[in-house]
Amino acid sequence: KKRRMFNAELVESIAKSLEVGGGCFIQSDIKEVAIEMRRILSENPSFVDVTNKCNQAVEIEDCGNGDSESKEDAKDPELEALKKSWLWLSENPTGVATERENYVIEQRGHVWRALFRKKPPGS
């Protein structure tokens, strides 16, 4: 398993630095990585997932690009239910695409994107 920079500790640091209402935008062209990042952010009580409320939220069909389900996912019915309810952003909300993002789109691949907002303390 690869060691990823995006983990619970990083999300906690982001939560401490970000103002209430501030956004945390994630994206990956590897679906399982996007799912893992979204799971980590969803588990942090400082953030709320606002992706499904965005105008550009859509369902993205599986395309064979990192779609393999892990054995851990199969054992976690709560995560499976969440994944089925998730929509993904069809466009980058920043309006500035990365080189990788442009390449993936040119190759007719998918980029899975989600947006979170920092909640007020105690909410």
Side-chain angles (χ1 to χ4, degrees):
K1 184 175 181 174
K2 285 187 177 183
R3 203 173 105 192
R4 304 268 180 214
M5 281 186 60
F6 196 91
N7 56 40
E9 292 79 23
L10 177 62
V11 170
E12 190 57 39
S13 292
I14 293 168
K16 288 177 182 175
S17 301
L18 197 63
E19 290 185 26
V20 170
C24 183
F25 167 62
I26 57 169
Q27 71 177 13
S28 178
D29 61 316
I30 301 170
K31 187 177 182 183
E32 62 191 9
V33 171
I35 288 170
E36 179 65 8
M37 289 191 302
R38 199 164 179 180
R39 180 191 64 76
I40 291 167
L41 269 163
S42 294
E43 290 176 352
N44 187 296
S46 296
F47 290 98
V48 61
D49 188 339
V50 297
T51 307
N52 288 14
K53 296 176 184 171
C54 295
N55 290 337
Q56 55 179 292
V58 296
E59 287 185 46
I60 298 178
E61 296 297 320
D62 291 346
C63 64
N65 177 0
D67 292 339
S68 59
E69 298 295 327
S70 73
K71 290 178 184 174
E72 283 182 32
D73 286 355
K75 293 180 200 174
D76 188 346
E78 188 175 317
L79 178 59
E80 284 303 307
L82 262 180
K83 285 166 40 179
K84 288 179 180 158
S85 70
W86 282 343
L87 298 176
W88 299 92
L89 298 178
S90 60
E91 297 175 19
N92 183 327
T94 69
V96 182
T98 65
E99 288 181 22
R100 176 69 184 175
E101 187 177 1
N102 286 330
Y103 172 78
V104 169
I105 292 166
E106 287 170 10
Q107 299 300 311
R108 306 242 184 254
H110 289 296
V111 179
W112 285 268
R113 303 174 182 101
L115 181 62
F116 288 75
R117 294 268 176 227
K118 184 173 178 184
K119 299 189 291 190
S123 63

